[in-house]
Amino acid sequence: QAEVNNWIKTETLSVLLRDQIPADQVLRCRWILTWKPLDVADGGVDSQSTKQYKAKARIVVLGYLDPHLEEIPRDSPTLGRSSRMVILQTIASHGWQLQSFDIKAAFLQGRPQADRVIAVDPVPELRKAMNLKPEQICRLNKGVYGLIDAPYLWYCALVAELVHLGFE
């Protein structure tokens, strides 16, 4: 239910009729269900607890079916080994404290797809939550897990927000 709520809260989808978009631009979705190890931030694993994992459910679009797969920008910069070492050395030299964090449902908070119209036939749980009729599907307003350009769209959103905050 948390995953369905994230898709709705982030306005990732908008409703349209199935005949408003070519059938090859309607992608399927599916659930990916995994077990995620608990850590201290999740309530932790202690000597009293027998629970070491929590269930994780994510809705994923079958992006490999995208008709424009070869034309979509898919690059999203990642930190190389040398760059990471320079950053870690700089942090150590200055005595700074290193911290990390997680952004929940990151791809769902990405930048809207500007000039691309792609739709999905949502999973039944999402259909029910959105009260969709059989003839209705959803347009993707943003990058989502499974799309080939989701990391790129997330990177663009992050850069735009950092520039807005005054970073260069």
Side-chain angles (χ1 to χ4, degrees):
Q1 189 59 48
E3 179 72 356
V4 169
N5 291 344
N6 278 337
W7 277 60
I8 292 170
K9 181 178 71 177
T10 56
E11 299 177 351
T12 300
L13 303 172
S14 52
V15 179
L16 42 97
L17 294 172
R18 193 175 293 275
D19 63 0
Q20 289 180 311
I21 190 165
D24 69 335
Q25 289 179 261
V26 180
L27 302 178
R28 295 189 326 257
C29 295
R30 65 173 282 194
W31 284 102
I32 300 292
L33 307 172
T34 58
W35 290 99
K36 183 178 176 182
L38 285 175
D39 61 14
V40 177
D42 292 328
V45 179
D46 58 32
S47 58
Q48 313 262 315
S49 175
T50 57
K51 201 170 152 188
Q52 296 181 357
Y53 296 92
K54 72 175 182 177
K56 177 75 177 172
R58 179 164 284 154
I59 300 171
V60 177
V61 171
L62 303 182
Y64 65 89
L65 298 174
D66 192 327
H68 303 289
L69 189 64
E70 296 297 321
E71 306 155 18
I72 301 167
R74 65 190 73 200
D75 52 335
S76 96
T78 55
L79 196 57
R81 185 171 191 261
S82 297
S83 300
R84 184 180 70 230
M85 297 310 288
V86 168
I87 290 171
L88 291 174
Q89 182 60 55
T90 302
I91 290 168
S93 296
H94 286 86
W96 295 337
Q97 183 179 359
L98 180 63
Q99 294 181 329
S100 67
F101 58 92
D102 181 40
I103 298 174
K104 291 187 181 226
F107 285 178
L108 300 182
Q109 298 180 50
R111 182 175 240 180
Q113 300 184 66
D115 54 352
R116 199 165 154 227
V117 177
I118 195 119
V120 295
D121 194 356
V123 294
E125 297 82 358
L126 199 47
R127 281 188 151 284
K128 183 178 178 185
M130 295 178 70
N131 296 316
L132 294 179
K133 297 179 175 101
E135 68 274 7
Q136 292 177 315
I137 56 173
C138 294
R139 177 187 173 156
L140 275 175
N141 298 325
K142 302 178 179 184
V144 296
Y145 301 102
L147 283 185
I148 196 74
D149 60 345
Y152 174 75
L153 293 168
W154 164 244
Y155 169 76
C156 290
L158 179 62
V159 167
E161 186 61 27
L162 291 174
V163 168
H164 175 74
L165 292 171
F167 289 81
E168 294 181 20

